[in-house]
């Protein structure tokens, strides 16, 4: 996940910053980590961001609207299938295929929901994301289900409204980089359980980029991304100096 965020930040910096060499090195480094991680979630997240980027850069307004509607329809359809697979009773070959592709996240979620007696309105109370692992080593790798179980429909809807309210403001400001980060974060949380949790570093990075982008004037694109990248650049340069001193 950190490699995914590094890839997004580095691509942005490569486009706007002067130090393109370090940005390019960061991009290659992130790709190497992603390829060797064996994790499919960051790949799906980045592919979705690339699709959104392509749509945002189409000049034909009508074509942009059509493709946006298609992407939104695919997202709604995928969410419908997920809900049906987790809470439904009739499961077929499609369920088996999707369950295997998701590393059995759906079947684990079904087992967890069977074992937890929770209130659909307010849940059982906020708990550690890993609390369900104590039950036969099961996991609840979905933010939607985590908030449904721990804070019910009230907490789930509240978090979704708050987050999409932030993203709607970015759409009005036409701040594309934050839109890309938000897209990544939405898809990321469908497969992982790290939404709005203060002890999760990936969440802190993504939400910092999104929120600080809102606090700046409309056309001023100075984000946490550039600050983090400059910090990494300073470390990179200091390491080169230290290595040179050691050689001497």
């Amino acid at each position: 996940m950190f490699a995914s965020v590094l890839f997004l930040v580095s691509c942005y910096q490569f486009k706007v910053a002067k130090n393109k060499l370090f940005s390019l090195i960061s991009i290659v480094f992130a790709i190497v980590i992603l390829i060797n991680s064996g994790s499919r979630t960051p790949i799906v997240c980045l592919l979705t961001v690339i699709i959104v980027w392509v749509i945002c850069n189409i000049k034909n307004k009508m074509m942009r609207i059509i493709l946006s509607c298609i992407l939104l329809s695919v997202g709604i359809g995928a969410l419908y299938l997920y809900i049906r697979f987790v809470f439904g009773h009739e499961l077929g070959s499609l369920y088996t295929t999707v369950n295997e592709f998701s590393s059995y996240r759906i079947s684990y979620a079904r087992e967890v929901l069977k074992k937890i007696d929770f209130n659909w309105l307010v849940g059982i109370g906020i708990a550690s994301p890993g609390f369900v692992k104590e039950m036969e080593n099961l996991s609840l790798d979905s933010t939607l289900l985590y908030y449904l179980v721990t804070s019910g429909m009230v907490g789930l809807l509240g978090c979704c409204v708050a987050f999409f309210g932030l993203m709607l403001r970015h759409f009005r400001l036409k701040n594309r980089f934050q839109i890309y980060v938000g897209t990544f974060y939405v898809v990321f949380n469908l497969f992982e359980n790290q939404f709005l949790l203060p002890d999760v570093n990936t969440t802190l990075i993504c939400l910092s980029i999104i929120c600080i982008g809102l606090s700046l004037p409309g056309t001023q694109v100075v984000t946490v991304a550039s600050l983090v990248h400059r910090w990494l650049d300073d470390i990179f340069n200091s390491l080169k100096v230290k290595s040179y001193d050691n050689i001497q």
Side-chain angles (χ1 to χ4, degrees), residues 120-131:
W120 284 84
L121 183 62
V122 295
I124 61 173
I126 299 297
S128 167
F131 79 102

Side-chain angles (χ1 to χ4, degrees), residues 1-21:
M1 286 306 160
F2 281 108
S4 303
V5 175
L6 176 62
F7 181 83
L8 287 176
V9 171
S10 299
C11 288
Y12 167 73
Q13 286 296 110
F14 183 80
K15 181 179 179 181
V16 302
K18 295 180 180 180
N19 192 354
K20 294 184 180 295
L21 177 60

Side-chain angles (χ1 to χ4, degrees), residues 71-169:
L71 180 61
L72 183 61
S73 300
V74 171
I76 294 174
L79 181 60
Y80 167 76
L81 283 178
Y82 179 79
I83 294 174
R84 183 175 178 181
F85 287 156
V86 172
F87 296 98
H89 300 288
E90 297 180 5
L91 305 175
S93 58
L94 180 59
Y95 164 81
T96 303
T97 302
V98 175
N99 189 40
E100 291 177 354
F101 178 77
S102 65
S103 301
Y104 303 97
R105 281 175 167 83
I106 299 177
S107 56
Y108 287 156
R110 290 173 64 89
E111 289 298 317
V112 170
L113 294 177
K114 288 180 182 178
K115 296 177 180 295
I116 297 180
D117 183 20
F118 66 96
N119 187 302
W120 284 84
L121 183 62
V122 295
I124 61 173
I126 299 297
S128 167
F131 79 102
V132 294
K133 290 186 177 180
E134 298 177 1
M135 298 182 304
E136 300 182 12
N137 199 31
L138 296 175
S139 61
L140 197 58
D141 289 324
S142 171
T143 296
L144 298 178
L145 289 179
Y146 169 79
Y147 267 88
L148 179 63
V149 170
T150 57
S151 57
M153 292 299 298
V154 174
L156 176 61
L157 291 176
C159 288
C160 290
V161 168
F163 180 76
F164 286 106
L166 290 175
M167 294 312 301
L168 180 59
R169 292 183 61 188

Side-chain angles (χ1 to χ4, degrees), residues 214-233:
L214 286 174
S215 67
L216 299 171
T219 57
Q220 184 183 357
V221 188
V222 181
T223 63
V224 172
S226 61
L227 299 178
V228 171
H229 210 271
R230 290 175 187 174
W231 176 66
L232 291 173
D233 194 13

